Structure formats: structure tokens, C-alpha cells
Amino acid sequence: PPVRPTGGERAGTFVLPAEAPKMIDLGPGPGKPLPLEAFHELDGKGRTAVRLMFSDHAGPEMLRPYVMAYFNEDNDDTGNNVEGLLSVQWAIVTNPMHNDDDARRVLGPGDAVFNTSSFAGEVEALLAEGIITDTGRTYKMGFYAPHPICHVNLPIGGPQPR
């Protein structure tokens, strides 16, 4: 089903739970929820990819711990602040398929292989929010365990300049 923004939110926005592993060390103590926005893009071969960017949809205060962890300061003069963090990519959670024959055989329009080895928490959140739908198919790349093939329920369009 397509994602329908609610309460004025942008399609593709979600909050990664505090329990999900993070790529940024926030120091001792419990993790902090992370607001992200997903974008359906096309990779260099014209195939679906999903980029996650920091998002302010849940309010700027939720991003402050990440501003400090990423920039090591919160400074409006240098742009190392919440606004500056909004132009930073969190992750690309899909794996490119380099084998054209395999891609034609296993991927439908809007489908991609999702990297659950590195981004299990992010993929789980995308599924829970309905941003992506598991097709029930998997694809094995190299030595990794098979990764799920999911359909992206967003229109194609990358991050917009802020």
C-alpha cells in the first residue's frame, strides 16, 4: 500500500527507535530515537535505491544529540547545527545489483535488495511504517546471508535542497 502522510508529515518520514544500533556514538547511556526521511532514488544502473537522510519532521530537539555527535558542536555561525544536519545522509539501505541478468530476473519495478546485514533496524522501521513492503523474495550477494527484496512505496525523487 502507498504511504500516506498524516498530520502534515512528509511521506517517507519515520523515527528509528532508540534500541536500533546506530552508526554514530552518542556516548554512554541509552540510545536516542532518530528521525529520518526515506527517498526513493535510482542508482547508476537506473534501479531502485533508498537513501535515508536526517529529518526535522519530529522537531529539532530530537536531532540535537546527533548534531553534537556528528559535528562535535552546535554552532549556527558555522552551520554545524540542526539545519546543517538535514543535508547529511544517514545511509543508503539498499544494495546495488551489478549482475544485469540477475536484476532482470529477480527485481520488479520499484523493487530493491535491502541490506539487513548492516541496516536491520532501519529496514525493520521502513517495513513497520509501510514505506517498503517485503515481497517474500530474497537475493544472496557474495558471502552475505540472503537479503530481502522489498518494494518501495514512495514516488521516485531524491532529497530536495534545503
Side-chain angles (χ1 to χ4, degrees):
V3 173
R4 292 181 180 80
T6 59
E9 292 180 6
R10 299 182 300 265
T13 57
F14 66 102
V15 176
L16 188 61
E19 303 79 40
K22 302 290 188 294
M23 294 182 291
I24 295 178
D25 182 10
L26 296 178
K32 307 240 184 305
L34 172 60
L36 295 169
E37 185 165 7
F39 293 91
H40 181 175
E41 301 177 332
L42 298 179
D43 67 15
K45 291 199 168 211
R47 297 185 187 113
T48 286
V50 174
R51 177 187 311 269
L52 301 182
M53 302 286 290
F54 286 95
S55 173
D56 61 354
H57 75 276
E61 288 309 310
M62 200 176 254
L63 285 175
R64 293 234 182 267
Y66 292 94
V67 169
M68 291 303 297
Y70 190 82
F71 295 122
N72 207 27
E73 69 175 348
D74 190 348
N75 186 329
D76 291 338
D77 293 335
T78 62
N80 293 341
N81 54 20
V82 168
E83 190 65 28
L85 194 63
L86 297 178
S87 64
V88 174
Q89 172 182 294
W90 177 253
I92 296 177
V93 295
T94 50
N95 282 343
M97 289 188 73
H98 300 291
N99 185 305
D100 291 334
D101 291 335
D102 282 356
R104 279 190 291 276
R105 185 175 48 79
V106 302
L107 296 178
D111 292 349
V113 178
F114 280 77
N115 183 346
T116 51
S117 295
S118 299
F119 304 108
E122 288 84 345
V123 173
E124 186 176 311
L126 290 166
L127 286 164
E129 290 295 322
I131 296 169
I132 63 175
T133 304
D134 193 338
T135 65
R137 300 186 319 269
T138 61
Y139 185 73
K140 182 170 175 30
M141 292 183 165
F143 298 105
Y144 294 100
H147 288 155
I149 296 172
C150 299
H151 182 78
V152 180
N153 300 317
L154 294 171
I156 295 171
Q160 301 304 307
R162 294 189 156 281

